[in-house]
Amino acid sequence: MVGSSTEGDCTDCVAGKYLEVTGSDAETDCIDCGVGKYSAAGSDAAADCLDCALGRYSVTTPIAESGCIGCVAGKYVDVTGSDDATDCIGCVAGRYIDVTGSDAASD
């Protein structure tokens, strides 16, 4: 856009991306947070990129928090920022988890 006259003409970086500099003129300047992380649209710092919560992971980027996927029933993940379904740990013999997105073996 040439000749913009209002801040409202500026477009947010999409969720899962951030941009720390002013005066950018292209969507490609927005930086991915990385897998296992998410951010809100319009983020302006790498610190805005947050780890997917316990019990959740992401394999793609960019994403909003809703893009973090819960481990399937029978598995859990007890660390934040997981970036693959293989991070989800199966319950030991004799125990089970009947919900998705569990964050501890004791669930």
Side-chain angles (χ1 to χ4, degrees):
M1 177 178 289
V2 177
S4 180
S5 62
T6 177
E7 183 180 353
D9 291 337
C10 298
T11 303
D12 286 342
C13 290
V14 298
K17 292 190 174 200
Y18 66 95
L19 185 59
E20 296 179 313
V21 298
T22 60
S24 178
D25 63 356
E27 180 182 1
T28 55
D29 293 337
C30 299
I31 301 165
D32 281 350
C33 285
V35 293
K37 296 184 177 287
Y38 68 91
S39 72
S43 294
D44 62 3
D48 293 337
C49 297
L50 304 173
D51 287 342
C52 286
L54 297 170
R56 307 184 76 74
Y57 66 93
S58 77
V59 295
T60 60
T61 187
I63 62 167
E65 183 176 13
S66 62
C68 294
I69 303 163
C71 292
V72 297
K75 295 190 174 192
Y76 67 95
V77 65
D78 57 1
V79 296
T80 61
S82 294
D83 60 5
D84 198 274
T86 60
D87 293 339
C88 297
I89 303 162
C91 293
V92 298
R95 304 196 74 183
Y96 69 94
I97 300 172
D98 60 356
V99 296
T100 61
S102 181
D103 62 5
S106 61
D107 289 349

